[in-house]
Amino acid sequence: MEPFNVHILGCGSALPTLHHNSTCQIVEIRGKFFMIDCGEGTQIQIRRSRVNFSKIQAVFISHLHGDHCFGLLGMISTFGMLGRTAPLHVYAPSNFEEYLKHSMQMFCNRLEYEVVFHGLDTKKNIQIYEDKSLTVETIPLDHRIACCGFLFREKQTAPHIRRDMIDYYSIPISQINNIKAGADWKTEDGEVIPNERLTTPPLPARSYAYCSDTRYMENLHTMVEGVNLLYHESTYANDKADNAKLYYHSTAEQAATVARDARVGKLLLGHYSARYSNENQLLKEAREVFPNSFLSDEGQCIAVQ
């Protein structure tokens, strides 16, 4: 199975602590690396994760609060010092473009590579990226400012060829792709060998949904229905539910409610308030609603499966 992993580089909230870094993740899928959010300290966390700087091909910024984007400019500069030549694609709310342009003119005006900006309409659920192995789409969220999450969907692979059957019927290599596409095989004697005997079904396509800062949204589960792994912010426990509503955040119980209603495979909690010395209370409240809930933590590499 090709790798589909989520590297947690930071899962804290706005106030820096010694326990958690600002928000940042790297999604690794079939040899490609994509960054989600880029808070302060991201470069050090990349070093610790042992992900190669040069392999990051795009950065997705959910919204323009500093704990989600203050690390981007420094990382762009470092890429330049490391001799990067491949373009870096930055997907962010549209009003970030002017700030990024002026900041780069001041601090990063001699780069040997191109930074390609893609403005996002955070109010729409639309596909913003596609290649031969995956798609990425936005998930509109409800925060104090324009904000969206991101949904990574692996494309379905072709069926697997049964080598023993190919050899048994002496099927030429030139016909392999046709059989992967669903064709049967006709022998010299006229016998038709059905495709089901020549192949085995592909593994199910996997998906990962990242829901950054947001109030609880009753309809959010419809946009992340059935994903294998859901990351949903869980800034507060139930005793601070009023704070969650006031500051446009969610409780762990609310995150678990989304996971339950969406029938996801697994829930990751994150974006913890600095008021918690540990997150066991958050985990307990989430598991009362959705048992397959887990805490995210720096240094984790979580397989999407």
Side-chain angles (χ1 to χ4, degrees):
M1 180 183 292
E2 291 281 351
F4 189 169
N5 299 315
V6 177
H7 301 262
I8 305 298
L9 305 190
C11 54
S13 56
L15 185 64
T17 71
L18 296 176
H19 187 42
H20 289 300
N21 285 76
S22 298
T23 300
C24 183
Q25 299 181 5
I26 291 178
V27 177
E28 172 192 1
I29 176 168
R30 298 195 195 176
K32 305 180 182 73
F33 292 80
F34 305 92
M35 179 175 287
I36 305 177
D37 284 336
C38 190
E40 290 179 86
T42 287
Q43 295 185 68
I44 297 299
Q45 292 300 95
I46 296 175
R47 296 287 192 191
R48 288 174 175 157
S49 75
R50 298 185 179 179
V51 172
N52 191 322
F53 268 81
S54 65
K55 291 186 176 181
I56 298 171
Q57 64 185 69
V59 181
F60 297 87
I61 301 295
S62 63
H63 65 293
L64 305 184
H65 279 159
D67 56 319
H68 294 258
C69 63
F70 277 169
L72 180 60
L73 189 64
M75 188 176 71
I76 288 174
S77 176
T78 296
F79 283 163
M81 289 188 284
L82 291 174
R84 183 186 182 107
T85 57
L88 177 69
H89 293 264
V90 175
Y91 297 80
S94 297
N95 58 339
F96 189 53
E97 182 175 16
E98 197 65 20
Y99 166 80
L100 183 62
K101 177 182 176 181
H102 288 311
S103 297
M104 288 181 58
Q105 286 175 345
M106 179 171 291
F107 297 107
C108 308
N109 57 6
R110 294 186 178 181
L111 296 179
E112 298 294 330
Y113 70 97
E114 182 181 9
V115 176
V116 183
F117 184 82
H118 304 265
L120 302 179
D121 183 346
T122 61
K123 296 180 180 179
K124 295 181 179 179
N125 172 218
I126 57 174
Q127 183 176 296
I128 56 173
Y129 176 87
E130 181 177 18
D131 63 29
K132 66 180 181 180
S133 57
L134 78 148
T135 62
V136 182
E137 59 190 77
T138 52
I139 305 171
L141 298 175
D142 184 14
H143 196 38
R144 285 173 288 169
I145 62 173
C147 182
C148 66
F150 302 101
L151 176 52
F152 291 75
R153 292 190 187 276
E154 181 181 40
K155 289 185 178 180
Q156 186 64 67
T157 58
H160 301 290
I161 294 292
R162 287 188 56 182
R163 177 54 57 187
D164 59 333
M165 299 297 287
I166 298 300
D167 293 342
Y168 182 80
Y169 289 107
S170 300
I171 299 174
I173 293 176
S174 62
Q175 296 304 307
I176 295 297
N177 285 337
N178 291 336
I179 292 172
K180 282 186 175 182
D184 299 328
W185 175 249
K186 190 173 184 178
T187 69
E188 293 181 356
D189 297 333
E191 180 185 3
V192 176
I193 311 302
N195 186 269
E196 292 77 12
R197 289 177 59 186
L198 304 173
T199 61
T200 56
L203 295 171
R206 298 161 292 179
S207 52
Y208 171 59
Y210 170 89
C211 293
S212 175
D213 299 20
T214 185
R215 273 181 175 176
Y216 171 68
M217 298 170 60
E218 291 185 355
N219 68 334
L220 179 57
H221 70 277
T222 63
M223 288 181 277
V224 298
E225 180 77 27
V227 299
N228 298 91
L229 179 64
L230 168 66
Y231 173 92
H232 192 295
E233 75 119 285
S234 52
T235 306
Y236 297 106
N238 282 336
D239 62 339
K240 296 297 178 183
D242 289 342
N243 286 33
K245 185 176 182 180
L246 177 64
Y247 297 116
Y248 287 77
H249 286 294
S250 297
T251 66
E253 181 183 272
Q254 290 170 335
T257 301
V258 174
R260 180 199 65 197
D261 294 347
R263 295 177 291 183
V264 308
K266 181 176 180 178
L267 171 66
L268 277 182
L269 306 174
H271 200 268
Y272 316 119
S273 168
R275 71 180 62 247
Y276 301 106
S277 58
N278 68 66
E279 295 80 37
N280 291 334
Q281 181 181 359
L282 301 175
L283 182 61
K284 178 178 181 296
E285 292 177 2
R287 284 184 168 173
E288 288 173 355
V289 175
F290 186 74
N292 207 27
S293 300
F294 299 86
L295 297 172
S296 59
D297 200 3
E298 286 78 2
Q300 289 178 332
C301 178
I302 300 157
V304 179
Q305 55 189 12

